[in-house]
Amino acid sequence: MNSRRSWLIPTGLIALTLIPAAGGAIRLGSLASGGPVTPDNERFFAMPMPVVLHIIAALIYCLLGAFQFAPRFRRRHPRWHRIAGRVLIPAGLMVALSGVWMTLAYEFPPVDGLAVKIERLIVGGVMTAAIVLAVLAVRKRDIANHRAWMIRAYALAQGAGTQAFTQLPWILAVGELNATGRAIALGGGWLINALIAEWIIRRNRKAARVPARPRFEVSTS
């Protein structure tokens, strides 16, 4: 893979991150300025710390994690990869656990019904488990499984970016999202990312099993 192509995936992931990052920045600005307070956001003003931690951790995790998908950069800078990993692990756990905490503690609007609550709890739990398994794998020097679990965790963390697109067809076809549409759109975003992650993992494992082609040198003597 040449240098330009190796940056296609990280660039796409950064672009995907910018969508929820813009919403997060607006949320943080609203909290910092003290309003306006509406029925849809009053829970954040009543208890701002969890959502602030969630937004900041998600931004760090998704932006920094995107560079882990640049293979040439990762190979050339192994020390950076290890240092970044020490940041990504706590940031990812903060994203997952704060998401679970908010799901259980906040009073969400009716459009975020029981199905959405269950989806968020499942995603938060699976993401937490994936990060823990990734740490255990790397401690055993099982790099392949470490990489696979980190890819799965990152895919779930990027759900908000994909969900911006999965909600759009429902809005265009039906109109304003109801509880059913919201559950389908959010669940669809996480499912798409999870399937892509599994495809990447399978492709990497298949490539690892293919023996390298021998190089033949032509004698000039």
Side-chain angles (χ1 to χ4, degrees):
M1 182 180 290
N2 60 41
S3 180
R4 182 175 297 179
R5 286 185 61 193
S6 72
W7 282 101
L8 288 177
I9 293 177
T11 301
L13 293 173
I14 291 171
L16 191 65
T17 301
L18 294 179
I19 300 172
I26 294 172
R27 178 76 66 200
L28 292 177
S30 176
L31 290 171
S33 63
V37 180
T38 67
D40 288 337
N41 66 16
E42 61 183 356
R43 62 190 182 280
F44 301 128
F45 287 92
M47 198 178 299
M49 187 56 66
V51 70
V52 170
L53 292 174
H54 185 79
I55 292 171
I56 294 174
L59 185 60
I60 293 172
Y61 187 72
C62 290
L63 286 178
L64 190 61
F67 290 90
Q68 306 290 55
F69 289 86
R72 289 170 64 93
F73 179 80
R74 193 174 64 243
R75 287 194 298 269
R76 290 179 178 180
H77 305 280
R79 187 170 180 269
W80 182 92
H81 176 72
R82 291 192 295 269
I83 293 173
R86 294 186 177 97
V87 176
L88 288 168
I89 295 299
L93 289 173
M94 179 62 70
V95 173
L97 295 176
S98 62
V100 170
W101 195 96
M102 288 188 294
T103 301
L104 296 174
Y106 281 163
E107 289 290 337
F108 283 89
V111 70
D112 286 351
L114 178 61
V116 170
K117 186 174 184 176
I118 293 172
E119 288 173 348
R120 285 175 171 153
L121 291 175
I122 292 173
V123 169
V126 172
M127 184 176 169
T128 300
I131 294 173
V132 171
L133 290 170
V135 172
L136 294 176
V138 78
R139 286 187 173 182
K140 296 177 181 177
R141 305 296 183 184
D142 186 353
I143 303 304
N145 274 321
H146 167 74
R147 183 180 295 119
W149 285 115
M150 288 302 288
I151 289 173
R152 291 178 178 118
Y154 186 83
L156 294 176
Q158 278 284 13
T162 307
Q163 287 159 359
F165 297 100
T166 56
Q167 293 180 84
L168 186 59
W170 183 283
I171 294 173
L172 293 176
V174 180
E176 186 176 357
L177 285 169
N178 55 22
T180 301
R182 179 84 165 154
I184 293 173
L186 296 191
W190 281 310
L191 180 60
I192 289 170
N193 285 11
L195 292 175
I196 292 174
E198 293 304 319
W199 175 77
I200 293 172
I201 292 166
R202 288 177 179 272
R203 187 189 64 175
N204 289 345
R205 287 176 175 170
K206 183 178 180 180
R209 290 195 295 267
V210 177
R213 293 182 179 178
R215 295 183 178 181
F216 296 96
E217 296 183 0
V218 178
S219 175
T220 59
S221 59

